[in-house]
Amino acid sequence: MEPPTAEAVLQGVFTLYNDPNNVEKEKASKWLEEFQKSIHSWRIADELLQQKHDLNSCTFAAQTMRNKIQNSFHELPVTAHESLRQSLLEHISHITLETKSVIVTQLSLALADLALLMSSWRKPVATLLERFSNNQHMMYALIELLTLIPEEVNSRHLRLGANRRKEILLELESDSTLVGEYLTMCLMNGNESELLRAKILKCFTSWVQISAFKLPEIRDSMIIVYCFQLLSNANTSPDLHELATDSLCSLLHLMELNETLGELDEKLFNGILCLEEAYNASVTSEDLDKSMNFCRLFTVLVESNLVRMVAFSEKESPHYSVKSLDLVLNCVGHYDYEVAEITFNMWYRLSEDLYHRNNYLLTAHFKPYVERLIAALYKHSQLDPDHDGLVEEGGSFKDFRYKVSEIIKDVIFIVSSISCFKQMFLILQNPNVTWESSEAALFIMQNVARNILPEESEVVPKVVEAILNLPENCHIAIRYTSINILGELCDWIDSNPETLEPVLNFLLFALQQKNGLATAAANSLQSICSACKKHMLGHISGLMQIARCLDSFDIQTESAIGLLKGISIIIGRLAGPQLTPAMQELCSFQLEALSRITNGEDDGLDAKKSRSDPGFWLDRLASIYRHVTPQIENKDDVNPCAFVIINNWSVLSRVLDRYKNDSKIMERIVRCIRYAIRCIGRQAMPILRPLVEQIITIYSGHNHSCLLYLGSILVDEFAVETDCTSGLLNMLQAFIEPTFGVLQVEDGLRNHPDMVDDFFRLASRFIQRAPMQFLQSMLVTPIIQCGLLACTLDHRDANVSVMRFFCSLLRHDRASDLQPMVQSILLSHGEALIMNLLYASVFCLHSYMLQDVAEVFVEIKQHSPHQLEEYVRKAVDSLPKKNSGGSVTVTHEQMVQFVSNVVNSQTSRATTQALQDFARLYR
């Protein structure tokens, strides 16, 4: 890019914001984007800020300066840091009350980021306070700066590194007293401006969140007192109310983190307990936002005390903090279910702790609270009395009921499923019960029914009988939930087979209904087929009749596939002579439709758009292939499914050719073929050659990565067969050229993670199934070289496949005749591999991905700890020792310690921890 002038940039900004011609706007936007990436943007942004030409140019200049410091600070030599600091301080000093907030924020961000990056700038907070704290006009800008500096400490854009971050946090901690005093002074002496008070609270919170304040020092802080005043006052504005809540929640999180017990802890606990009246007032005045703030505060209070609350409640009387649960339950009882939802994660945490402790006395202390929770959720789950139909799909209430289901399943062990079931059944028996109360009780029962013991004979038979005898005029929602309960009671039905036939008749009737009942019935039938396999064999003719009429039912696509799954499970239990024709008939309904569509004859498919989509029928066929699992005693016995699958192959082959241009349909075909191959394994040999030839031909012209995945399935099943290995190696070779053609262009790996994932899964399967033939082939080296490049790919699945490929390649427990080949690979590529893996760990991969990287280190160590030590030392030496701000990223001692940790680690977890700790030095 030619060095631009300030005038040219001004013109570009003017065009971007003012030109009515969209084409010119787009051109200006692209040009300005390129300008911001150039080295010249530092100087010109500074010039534009000095010129103050107009709002848009100043905003653009401030954004540019902030962007450059965040992302391109390495462009500036260390000698230019001081002049940049002086320039930004000068720009900040000219801020007035009239300066637009967007410019103030961008300039403040730029200066805050510079303060964190510039290691030669010692105690920046003290410098800023000294320079600006006595200037009344600078109060807003200075508080903005003091807010952003702690907020930016953990910015992922800055990559400060653990050493620099620790240094900064110590500095901020030493300056926290000055900041606290300044904020208190602003609160006392400032005007009644709500904006100023909001900024003070926000700044205070940002310093609490990085643990900068010494808790004893802020015990009597006026700002904390002010937060309680705001929350106690019914006239507090919504913004200040939320910020005061944020501040107190941050303090509670800090004390939980530090496990702090002291006067501040007691003060906060008692102060928050006293806010119950203010919460009740917010409910009375129907101020939902304030009610939600209080609920959040009460919930965080419980969470901050949760460890102590549970640990110290193992005696006869519970810990004093248990009383905070009353506050939370008061909120759960709020008329709006959104308030109750805020508490759900806290209940989950409590249930997890109690479950792992497995202490009856301890659980008993919390049982009354959970009973109250379930009673409140039962009320929240009720539909409106005048509601017609079912709960609306995709609506917020449907989502809430889903969350209620999850939380009940988490906490139900505390009160016992049968106890809850009985409690809800009592509600149903009330003679004056309304339909919406009945439906909500049934909904709660549905969520615990799966846990009911099979031998229960007191309540469940009555519930089942009541469901089977529902009056015809009952509300559709009651019928829908009742159908779902029968599905959840599948294990109980399996142990009480006398109920099976009436339940099936009830569900068959429901299957013929509209408005969602058929879908519910299909789901329940699937559950019963899965749980009652032995008893359902006698009903196979009825199930086949259902399959024949499947398209006449008003069932959602996924539920129809699920129903086919249930029927397939039962078919899989048939003896061979009965299984083959039953499976063939079940498949034929799908294959006939596929044949018609493939031949362009889709006019007989009920004119529904979904029915003319081959994916619709392929998914059904895949479900059959996946779930028909015949009982075969010896692996050499003929699989009764083999005849069906091989006989059906010609249709799938035509579908493959017909839809080779459509990636989505290809994925569905491959999925179907995958289950077919898995179903009959090596008995699919008759279709192997034509299938391989067909996918090679298609892949050469259409790079569908799913074909690579299918290749890995074929290798997994057939590569152990000597007659098949060379053909499968030829398949791999045929895949390599088009694959590398896609991956080796610029950003090819990043833009095609699915292809990387599937290709390296295929390579790994070869190593696992035919290691000798693979390692002797000419394909190993180019695949390794591609893998070295793919190490830095931060796509989770793709990276896992690459790491597993290297682990499979370097496995230390190979047969003795393979060891020399593995050693040769390690000598040729080990150093580059460790170099790339360490670089990727530090600069490219997310922390949670390093576990898979560690596995590769462990494999290399098993071959030779000395080799690993040499490779790791060289890789560490190649990394930069200082960051762009001039601070030391990694010390010599830390490098030595990291090498030692990796080489001496005894487990993969220890190696992972070493990599994560080392990577933090650069992040």
Side-chain angles (χ1 to χ4, degrees), residues 580 583-585 587-588 591 595 621 625 640-654 676 680 683-684 686-687:
T580 303
M583 183 181 180
Q584 181 60 47
E585 184 181 359
C587 292
S588 67
L591 289 162
S595 290
L621 190 60
Y625 286 164
C641 302
F643 171 81
V644 178
I645 288 171
I646 292 168
N647 194 47
N648 295 342
W649 167 244
S650 59
V651 177
L652 285 181
S653 179
R654 288 203 307 275
I680 59 175
Q683 293 185 32
I687 65 173

Side-chain angles (χ1 to χ4, degrees), residues 704-758:
H704 302 302
S705 74
C706 60
L707 296 176
L708 298 173
Y709 179 79
L710 181 55
S712 71
I713 300 296
L714 298 178
V715 169
D716 198 37
E717 291 289 346
F718 296 103
V720 291
E721 302 287 337
T722 311
D723 296 342
C724 300
T725 310
S726 61
L728 291 170
L729 271 173
N730 291 337
M731 175 190 72
L732 176 60
Q733 186 166 11
F735 282 154
I736 283 180
E737 186 177 344
T739 301
F740 286 8
V742 172
L743 299 181
Q744 287 175 350
V745 300
E746 186 178 357
D747 289 332
L749 290 161
R750 182 170 296 280
N751 293 336
H752 300 279
D754 291 344
M755 184 175 283
V756 176
D757 181 17
D758 292 327

Side-chain angles (χ1 to χ4, degrees), residues 649 656 673 677 687-696 710 714:
W649 167 244
L656 264 176
I673 296 172
I677 299 294
I687 65 173
L688 177 61
R689 182 183 291 276
L691 173 57
V692 169
E693 290 172 354
Q694 192 170 7
I695 64 176
I696 287 173
L710 181 55
L714 298 178

